[in-house]
Amino acid sequence: MATDSRRTTRARMTSGQRREQLITVGRALFAERGFDGTSVEEIAARASVSKPVVYEHFGGKEGVYAVVVDREVQRLLAVLTETLSTPAHPKVMVERAALALLDYIETHTDGFRILVRDSPVAQTTGTFSSLIGDVASQVEHILAAQFRRRGLDPASAPLYAQMLVGMVALTGQWWLDAREPHKDEVAAHVINLAWNGLAHLERTPRLSEAPEPAAAVAGEAEDTA
């Protein structure tokens, strides 16, 4: 009876629901074992379906992987684009972008692990490097305006944008496993180097929009009560 019940439950899953299930399963496996270490058999087994079901929906693990990567790219790009689209002091905007990436790493760890691995399929879009390029293009406009204001050559902005975004991205890859210090502190140190340079590093860098200490927030809550 239990076996019949499970079969009935699986049979009631629509094509769209099955597709989403396979994507979720594939995402977890790709993050855990990588593309090469994941097989169609494992995806099917974890989803409790036969291999032909995976082939029917995606044509193979390459199809599952492509969808997973595309979704993660769009999710991260949307977050970073929204962050950079809100006007603020350039330093604050860079701080927000750094924190947005670290927030994504913290809340979508599996997705970031997949993005930073080399893509197993030949493609010029939907990879972490192309994503970084998209973000750098937006940062480029911010830097160009600052360069003009400071009497610097705005033609150098694309180069500096690549360096700045690359520095934040590589630091994020390191923090993915280290997770220390806290992301706010990591972002503060990144901006310290990016904004002040090695010759003018602050002894104790802090974010311009640093969150209030937990103790202070708790105190305010008690006062309100």
Side-chain angles (χ1 to χ4, degrees), residues 35 183-184 210:
F35 178 83
K183 63 184 178 184
D184 291 339

Side-chain angles (χ1 to χ4, degrees), residues 15-26:
S15 176
Q17 291 171 333
R18 178 67 70 196
R19 179 181 174 83
E20 290 301 317
Q21 178 203 28
L22 293 173
I23 292 172
T24 300
V25 168

Side-chain angles (χ1 to χ4, degrees), residues 182-204:
H182 188 272
K183 63 184 178 184
D184 291 339
E185 186 176 348
V186 173
H189 281 288
V190 168
I191 304 308
N192 188 26
L193 175 59
W195 193 260
N196 299 311
L198 287 172
H200 302 285
L201 286 179
E202 297 175 356
R203 186 176 298 276
T204 307

Side-chain angles (χ1 to χ4, degrees), residues 1-16:
M1 291 295 294
T3 301
D4 291 341
S5 176
R6 287 195 296 270
R7 288 175 178 170
T8 301
T9 301
R10 289 200 297 270
R12 289 176 180 171
M13 188 175 290
T14 66
S15 176

Side-chain angles (χ1 to χ4, degrees), residues 51-65:
K51 290 198 302 181
V53 174
V54 179
Y55 287 114
E56 176 185 351
H57 283 276
F58 299 98
K61 70 173 183 178
E62 294 83 0
V64 182
Y65 182 87

Side-chain angles (χ1 to χ4, degrees), residues 115-130:
L115 287 181
V116 297
R117 288 195 175 102
D118 291 335
S119 175
V121 291
Q123 54 185 11
T124 57
T125 59
T127 63
F128 189 64
S129 59
S130 67

Side-chain angles (χ1 to χ4, degrees), residues 75-86 134-135 138:
R75 177 182 288 118
L76 179 53
L77 184 58
V79 170
L80 293 175
T81 299
E82 181 180 359
T83 298
L84 294 173
S85 64
T86 304
D134 291 339
V135 177
Q138 299 181 54

Side-chain angles (χ1 to χ4, degrees), residues 63-132:
V64 182
Y65 182 87
V67 173
V68 169
V69 169
D70 182 66
R71 288 190 177 187
E72 293 304 324
V73 166
Q74 295 305 318
R75 177 182 288 118
L76 179 53
L77 184 58
V79 170
L80 293 175
T81 299
E82 181 180 359
T83 298
L84 294 173
S85 64
T86 304
H89 186 279
K91 182 182 179 182
V92 173
M93 293 184 71
V94 176
E95 289 178 353
R96 291 175 180 174
L99 276 175
L101 176 60
L102 294 174
D103 282 339
Y104 171 81
I105 294 173
E106 185 175 58
T107 57
H108 298 88
T109 300
D110 283 355
F112 189 74
R113 287 189 187 281
I114 294 170
L115 287 181
V116 297
R117 288 195 175 102
D118 291 335
S119 175
V121 291
Q123 54 185 11
T124 57
T125 59
T127 63
F128 189 64
S129 59
S130 67
L131 172 64
I132 293 305

